[in-house]
Amino acid sequence: NPTFDISVARFEALGFSVGLIEGYRRHEILKVNPNYKSRFLVYENVRDKVLPVLQKTKKDGIIFGEDDAIPRNIFTPDFVDRKIKEYDGENNILWFGFQKILKKKKDSSHPRGFYVVGAQLIWMPKKLYPIIKEVMTKQKPQHYDGFLSKNMDLPIKLVDKDIQMKGRGKALLK
């Protein structure tokens, strides 16, 4: 992804330590399995590639950012630390950056009352590794943003949801 280098430079300029987690490559999977559903790719990358990094980290957690996430000036390590405290990020997965909220109603398919598109910036606390691993292993692969929007087995909070909704969901992303 040509945006990757821009994304890494932006995170580093804001003060983050960035590491590459090499995911599955869609074109390689399609050579082996032409019927592969590309919508599963992010889910499988998180389950198989990101979670082992979470398990091994010596920190309290990690922020998983997709390769095209380019954060705004506000998204600094201090900002993240404040939001982790404010939203109890030790016990919750925090969804920092997203594109928009598609649904804002309470029904059985949207148990939190919304369906969010764009899973660009996700805080995963190390403490929740066992349950995240268990839930992702038991569920079948799907769109990752759909998994986060619909799953009720994991404690997930949208950060500054009302502020981001006013900005059409792009308050933290460029």
Side-chain angles (χ1 to χ4, degrees):
N1 182 340
T3 311
F4 174 74
D5 292 334
I6 297 167
S7 179
V8 168
R10 183 70 178 141
F11 276 102
E12 288 174 343
L14 291 170
F16 289 94
S17 172
V18 179
L20 170 65
I21 300 171
E22 189 73 36
Y24 297 118
R25 297 174 184 266
R26 181 179 172 270
H27 67 279
E28 291 172 355
I29 294 172
L30 288 173
K31 284 181 189 174
V32 177
N33 180 1
N35 296 319
Y36 180 77
K37 306 283 189 242
S38 295
R39 65 182 178 264
F40 301 161
L41 193 61
V42 175
Y43 184 95
E44 291 176 340
N45 278 328
V46 171
R47 183 192 63 209
D48 300 345
K49 307 290 185 161
V50 174
L51 289 183
V53 173
L54 176 62
Q55 180 185 25
K56 293 175 187 170
T57 189
K58 298 198 184 314
K59 298 182 179 190
D60 293 335
I62 62 171
I63 291 180
F64 159 66
E66 291 185 83
D67 57 0
D68 60 349
I70 301 173
R72 293 184 181 265
N73 289 339
I74 189 174
F75 198 78
T76 65
D78 288 340
F79 174 84
V80 170
D81 289 343
R82 284 194 315 274
K83 294 302 176 179
I84 287 171
K85 287 178 185 141
E86 180 181 342
Y87 285 87
D88 188 20
E90 182 180 327
N91 298 301
N92 292 287
I93 295 168
L94 304 182
W95 199 338
F96 276 99
F98 52 87
Q99 293 172 346
K100 61 184 171 180
I101 296 175
L102 294 180
K103 303 270 184 191
K104 194 175 180 198
K105 62 182 179 180
K106 189 83 166 168
D107 67 24
S108 61
S109 64
H110 304 96
R112 289 187 179 88
F114 53 79
Y115 187 96
V116 179
V117 176
Q120 280 88 1
L121 297 170
I122 307 293
W123 161 258
M124 291 187 223
K126 184 171 182 170
K127 177 180 178 180
L128 292 182
Y129 167 80
I131 189 170
I132 297 170
K133 176 75 171 170
E134 178 184 349
V135 169
M136 290 194 80
T137 301
K138 286 182 179 178
Q139 297 227 345
K140 67 182 206 177
Q142 57 194 285
H143 281 286
Y144 189 60
D145 46 10
F147 166 74
L148 294 174
S149 291
K150 295 183 278 184
N151 185 285
M152 291 305 290
D153 296 323
L154 296 173
I156 301 168
K157 292 184 178 181
L158 291 179
V159 173
D160 295 336
K161 177 177 68 167
D162 294 332
I163 294 170
Q164 293 202 61
M165 284 175 55
K166 287 178 186 171
R168 302 294 298 150
K170 297 183 181 184
L172 298 177
L173 298 175
K174 192 171 190 178

